[in-house]
Amino acid sequence: MTVDVKHYVAEDLPEIRQHILDIHVEVRQRDFGLTGPFYDVERFDARLTAYSSRPGWTAVLGFDEGDPVGFCFGTALAPDTKWWNNMLTAVDPAVTKEDGKRTVSLNEIVVRKPWRGRSIAWQLHEAWLDHRAEERVTLLVNPLAGDGAVQAVYEAWGYRKVGDQQPFPDSPVFSVMLRSTKQD
């Protein structure tokens, strides 16, 4: 199955914000039962606002017959990024050096339940990366999500774990994963 993928930049956020928030609530809270302050829609919206205020933020949304089915978004890591600050495991400083053009962070990728298992997440991911100029992409994944199945999907997509971090005091400990933006 393929979906209609549309690309967006920060200036487009007012047009797509409600779709993103609605999908977040449906998937994270209703489908996965993730509750607590870290997963509240207000906190997620605040993170969305913060991410989209950074240079280079882009997003893609997938649509099936006009219905939004999922999204992903992220931004380039600036030279003064805090992305690597909360590492719980030691990482080679060469891995964490950023210049604003080296690495893009995939902050979120979410697909609604009726469209899961149809490669929609992969389509969104690759369509988003196709418009990125950075050489590598990083993401955080809860290693317990789906009893490890979510992290296994990212590994199948070419990501490798480089360490663990807890970016917020009330967030889970995440696996930090990294891969090239261009796959052969």
Side-chain angles (χ1 to χ4, degrees), residues 2-145:
T2 59
V3 294
D4 180 25
V5 177
K6 296 183 180 176
H7 295 265
Y8 301 92
V9 295
E11 292 77 22
D12 301 319
L13 186 56
E15 174 188 343
I16 62 172
R17 182 186 295 274
Q18 197 59 53
H19 288 313
I20 291 172
L21 296 177
D22 291 346
I23 293 170
H24 165 81
V25 169
E26 178 181 330
V27 173
R28 299 282 195 242
Q29 294 177 1
R30 284 185 244 163
D31 292 353
F32 296 148
L34 299 173
T35 59
F38 181 73
Y39 295 104
D40 286 347
V41 70
E42 295 81 13
R43 280 278 297 282
F44 176 76
D45 192 28
R47 289 192 300 273
L48 174 59
T49 298
Y51 296 140
S52 66
S53 71
R54 297 177 185 147
W57 183 88
T58 60
V60 297
L61 268 74
F63 295 88
D64 182 17
E65 297 183 11
D67 291 327
V69 303
F71 66 85
C72 70
F73 63 76
T75 190
L77 296 184
D80 63 347
T81 185
K82 294 180 181 165
W83 180 266
W84 303 105
N85 289 8
N86 297 299
M87 296 299 293
L88 302 174
T89 50
V91 178
D92 183 338
V95 171
T96 63
K97 183 168 177 50
E98 299 298 344
D99 61 7
K101 297 177 183 171
R102 181 181 189 201
T103 310
V104 61
S105 62
L106 175 59
N107 300 120
E108 293 284 340
I109 184 167
V110 181
V111 174
R112 296 172 60 207
K113 190 173 187 173
W115 290 271
R116 281 188 224 132
R118 300 179 182 195
S119 298
I120 303 302
W122 172 253
Q123 288 175 47
L124 297 174
H125 179 268
E126 293 302 297
W128 178 71
L129 284 179
D130 281 347
H131 285 77
R132 300 302 312 195
E134 296 84 4
E135 66 186 64
R136 61 189 199 161
V137 56
T138 185
L139 60 80
L140 304 179
V141 61
N142 183 336
L144 304 178

